[in-house]
Amino acid sequence: MSPPSGPEKRFFDALAAGRFEIQQCAACAKHVFYPRVLCPHCGSGELGWVAASGRGTVYSTTVVRRKPGDGGDYNVCLVDLAEGVRMMSRVAGVAPQDVTIGMAVKARIAEGLVEFTPA
Amino acid sequence: MRGSVAIAGVGLAGCGEAPGWTEMEIAAAAAKNALGDAGLSARDVDGIVVASTNIFMSGLALAEHLGVHPKFTESTMVGGSSFVGHLIPAALALNAGLCDTILVAYGSSQRTGVGRAEAGKYKMALDPQPFEHPYKPFNPPTSYALAAARHMHQYGTTRAQLAEIAVAARQWAQLNPEAFAREPLTVEDVLGSRMVSDPLTVRDCCLVTDGGGAYVLTRAERAKDFPKPPAYLLGVGAAHWHRQISSMPDLTVTAATESGQRAFEMAGLGPQDVDVVELYDAFTINTLLFLEDLGFCGKGEGGAFVSGGRIAPGGELPVNTNGGGLSCVHPGMYGIFLLVEAVRQLRGEGGARQVKDAAVALAHGNGGVLSSQITALLGTKDTL
Ligand SMILES: [Zn+2]
């Protein structure tokens, strides 16, 4: 248990410091998200941290319907990062129904979370 | 495992609304009905199998409630597919001689139970899922909506084709006096109903009901001594590749491709041999994906396959003959109801919805968000 925290806290600590970082496996070179203890591709425990490119493509998207009084409709999507990993997120700066599959997006940090805007 | 065990009794209880009943009471009432169906009482049970979304150590709770001192207890919880999956350890235990009579039961008061919103908050706190929950997916619908949107994008599947699945389920429900939602439903009704998480409307989503179900599993040689014709386990297979939708490798392909193959292989059967199909239809997209992944049609062909009433009463392939989770019953987890309906069809107890000469039934369970996939094939004695 040599690192000071588990990978989940490590991820959110970096995010709080303004850095979007993901894991990369030293053994198989594949990127990993969400942060884990073992590489889900090869089983290696040698997972290091690299800065995410922040470039991504919307893999799928939905508009969650919510009453206007409760804040109105919002977007939830899955984004494939250029590194080959997928994450749940949202696309900001565009109406939720205008987020489309295949849309190029770029990451930013907002309220301690990774979100995306059209690239 | 093929043909070695059989379901000797099935029962339902509290389906629809059961105000004033606890989950364990509903499970026990279903158990009583299943045991009665098998000509047994709780005194005869020496194996207890149960899963619950709410009750901690549910195996202990059900045995205590029934006064059973089991030799075998199993509570694997993989979501709604659990009760189909329980066939695997239950069959192994029976075949190993660990016990002789296994009761599998489930009960839920999801519709009328009190304190459910509060419980939901506690569950979220205990299991935060920090890589999804902060984005506020309205789950489970949002996860299934993401799969539906991707299937539509990739294969040109339409909302109207998904709506056909809801309409077919409703038409079956209209033939089932025990179904909860029996009023007429058209494709236009589905398309025009309230959107929940695009592209799924409230009519693409399953019901929220109370209800319980149970079945009794015994070794095959013993099952033939019970009052009702046994439904023999011909094959069963399980697979899962993810828990959260963001970790699903391809949202258009489920692990049913593997679970189905395993079940068919064990049974020595293929999709063409199946007379009646019970699929876990938490959402319309489920039915479509499972028809593809279990081999009833090719990948991407599900939309065309379900069109024109093909899976509705009178169509070529009877699917979800009780009305399914969409129109019959869906109390949190639906898995056990797949098996109850499959057994009833194999016995010829389906009444107006009976599939003629049904000899092989497929029950396919889904758990999580297209996560756990478990396929079972049951048959009459002629299929052994
Ligand atoms: Zn690796």
Side-chain angles (χ1 to χ4, degrees), chain A residues 8 11-12 33-36 59-65 74 76-78 86-90 101 113-114, chain B residues 130-132 134-138 142 145-146 149-150 153 195-198 244-251:
Chain A
E8 185 177 301
F11 174 81
F12 284 107
F33 190 85
Y34 55 91
R36 286 166 165 91
Y59 174 74
S60 194
T61 182
T62 183
V63 181
V64 180
R65 302 303 183 110
Y74 58 95
V76 173
C77 62
L78 298 175
R86 182 173 300 158
M87 63 185 297
M88 181 173 281
S89 189
R90 61 184 174 228
I101 293 175
L113 288 178
V114 177
Chain B
F131 299 98
E132 289 205 350
Y135 299 103
K136 302 190 185 72
F138 180 62
T142 290
L146 290 165
R150 184 70 200 182
H153 171 82
M195 193 63 83
V196 175
S197 193
D198 297 43
Q244 306 169 103
I245 201 71
S246 52
S247 291
M248 184 170 177
D250 177 342
L251 266 65

